[in-house]
Amino acid sequence: MSLRGARAARAAWARGWGAGCRRGASDLPRPPPRAVDVAELLRDATVAEERPRAAEARRPPGQCSVLLFPGQGSQLVGMGRGLLRFPRARELYAAARSVLGYDLLELSLHGPQEALDRTAHCQPAVFVASLAAVEKLQHLQPAVIENCVAAAGFSVGEFAALVFAGAMEFTEGLYAVKIRAEAMQAASEAVPSGMLSVLGKPQSKFSFACLEAQEHCKTLGIADPVCEVANYLFPDCRVISGHLEALQFLQKNSSKYHFRRTKMLPVSGGFHTRLMEPALEPLTQVLKSVGVKKPLVSVHSNVDGKRYMHPKHIQKLLVQQVVSPVKWEQTMHAIYERKKGVEFPKTFEVGPGKQLGAILKSCNLQAWKSYQNVEVLADDDEQILPLHS
């Protein structure tokens, strides 16, 4: 780690936390004097290189890193326990309590699971756990942060990726997640809906299955039924969102559509479809109050898998994402595409679970061989290997 980077690693989370969120969080405590500012570390490394693109080209690809941030559905009672010996992680949870108005750490550690699974709770919980996991990773392997070249987050994880990359302050990002989660919770309660994970075969016709499920709903008297692909995970694997009756129809007729396995996800609504349209206006308004900046490392959008280019692009697509399918498979191809023989970067999943690692394995086996997850359930730092290994 460079001397300049070491100094930055001891700097405050001043940019990451700021003086508090502009809406509803003006009474947040001042940033702790010695907390790690990951955005400062990234910015400092960029300045030190002066020509970041040329420097990146000189850096061996195998020594670069990519961070993946999980989304809703990865939450589990006990998450955060593996982060508590890192003071900066505890301070994130303390700041979260001020923004949210309840003890997120207590809910994350002790549940109950039913309460944690509520959209209004689990989105902030996954967001904070992921950024606390970044603090753990920075403490154990600061070179991973200095050498990060790309980040992506699944659904709400995209907010964590943007905060990590310096595009948003922590408190503002968390407040936006709070409003998003509450609006999506309200939208999901308005219509009985959900999400169905489907592992198919090459001959599976997902769109045709969704159309027939919609027709089935119409026979039940459901006007304007919704059933559509909401997540593209890896080849032949999709998540379908919509009315519960449509998803039940697909499960019952799975063999007809060549579905190998179906499973309802632990979420409360038909996310990433037009069923979430009532959540658009609250999210649009809160994002207007967020000071969005250009990310210091490449952050890829769920909407199209491409890198964000400027702040207005971020604000627009974060809203669009709520009613659009998550193109995660396409994002993985965009991040890991390279010429034959070129090494893959080290990939770190920061947050609860290992779902993104499993998806990466199915999308790109060679890239997955350099994957690790940062444990948030147990206090185990042995699994984080040096970046140059």
Side-chain angles (χ1 to χ4, degrees):
M1 186 176 183
S2 66
L3 176 61
R4 184 184 293 270
R7 287 171 178 165
R10 291 193 296 267
W13 258 82
R15 286 190 180 89
W17 289 20
C21 184
R22 295 176 186 173
R23 292 185 61 187
S26 60
D27 58 341
L28 284 181
R30 303 291 291 180
R34 295 180 66 252
V36 174
D37 182 359
V38 174
E40 175 85 10
L41 185 63
L42 290 166
R43 183 178 291 106
D44 195 84
T46 302
V47 171
E49 296 286 7
E50 292 185 349
R51 290 186 296 273
R53 291 188 181 276
E56 184 177 308
R58 293 194 300 270
R59 187 184 305 150
Q63 291 186 18
C64 297
S65 58
V66 171
L67 267 57
L68 303 180
F69 294 80
Q72 185 172 349
S74 63
Q75 69 276 0
L76 196 64
V77 170
M79 66 181 190
R81 186 174 294 114
L83 309 172
L84 295 182
R85 73 180 179 91
F86 303 95
R88 309 292 80 89
R90 283 185 176 271
E91 286 157 358
L92 287 180
Y93 279 103
R97 184 170 186 167
S98 297
V99 174
L100 300 173
Y102 60 88
D103 192 338
L104 182 66
L105 181 58
E106 174 69 19
L107 178 62
S108 298
L109 291 178
H110 304 295
Q113 186 70 47
E114 296 77 17
L116 185 60
D117 283 345
R118 285 181 56 82
T119 298
H121 294 150
C122 72
Q123 289 192 18
V126 171
F127 172 89
V128 176
S130 295
L131 290 169
V134 170
E135 289 286 0
K136 177 178 180 177
L137 182 60
Q138 198 283 329
H139 179 87
L140 298 174
Q141 290 293 334
V144 171
I145 306 301
E146 285 193 324
N147 294 322
C148 182
V149 294
F154 197 102
S155 193
V156 71
E158 196 167 307
F159 285 80
L162 287 164
V163 170
F164 160 74
M168 296 180 186
E169 295 178 355
F170 172 78
T171 49
E172 290 190 334
L174 177 57
Y175 188 69
V177 167
K178 175 182 184 290
I179 298 302
R180 177 187 191 266
E182 291 171 350
M184 291 174 70
Q185 177 78 48
S188 67
E189 290 173 352
V191 178
S193 57
M195 303 182 78
L196 180 71
S197 176
V198 180
L199 179 60
K201 300 177 183 179
Q203 64 267 38
S204 297
K205 293 182 172 62
F206 293 98
S207 296
F208 176 68
C210 289
L211 287 173
E212 291 211 330
Q214 291 175 27
E215 291 302 316
H216 168 73
C217 287
K218 290 178 181 178
T219 68
L220 301 177
I222 299 174
D224 195 23
V226 173
C227 183
E228 55 197 57
V229 173
N231 301 164
Y232 293 84
L233 300 182
F234 55 86
D236 303 324
C237 187
R238 306 284 185 266
V239 173
I240 297 175
S241 284
H243 284 83
L244 283 180
E245 294 85 349
L247 304 183
Q248 291 162 358
F249 172 84
L250 293 179
Q251 284 188 297
K252 183 177 180 180
N253 295 277
S254 59
S255 60
K256 176 181 178 181
Y257 305 114
H258 304 286
F259 296 162
R260 286 193 283 169
R261 187 168 66 246
T262 62
K263 181 182 179 182
M264 291 296 296
L265 297 182
V267 298
S268 60
F271 303 139
H272 300 288
T273 70
R274 52 192 169 84
L275 289 174
M276 293 296 111
E277 285 179 354
L280 295 180
E281 183 60 22
L283 181 58
T284 298
Q285 292 304 316
V286 74
L287 286 174
K288 288 180 180 178
S289 73
V290 174
V292 180
K293 299 175 284 292
K294 184 177 180 179
L296 296 168
V297 297
S298 297
V299 177
H300 291 252
S301 167
N302 285 181
V303 173
D304 56 15
K306 298 178 182 179
R307 294 184 298 172
Y308 282 117
M309 302 308 294
H310 52 79
K312 288 188 180 297
H313 193 213
I314 293 172
Q315 289 175 312
K316 176 183 177 182
L317 291 188
L318 284 179
V319 174
Q320 187 178 334
Q321 184 226 71
V322 174
V323 292
S324 302
V326 173
K327 295 186 176 178
W328 192 255
E329 180 182 349
Q330 295 86 333
T331 299
M332 294 299 93
H333 291 316
I335 291 176
Y336 294 103
E337 183 179 12
R338 60 203 58 234
K339 294 180 181 178
K340 187 176 182 180
V342 177
E343 284 185 288
F344 286 94
K346 307 293 184 185
T347 298
F348 295 84
E349 183 170 354
V350 281
K354 301 179 182 180
Q355 295 93 329
L356 299 184
I359 294 172
L360 177 60
K361 185 177 182 179
S362 296
C363 285
N364 192 317
L365 181 60
Q366 293 303 312
W368 172 80
K369 290 179 179 179
S370 299
Y371 160 89
Q372 299 178 60
N373 93 300
V374 180
E375 181 61 63
V376 302
L377 285 170
D379 187 7
D380 176 16
D381 59 0
E382 296 300 320
Q383 43 85 49
I384 302 179
L385 302 176
L387 188 65
H388 57 266
S389 63

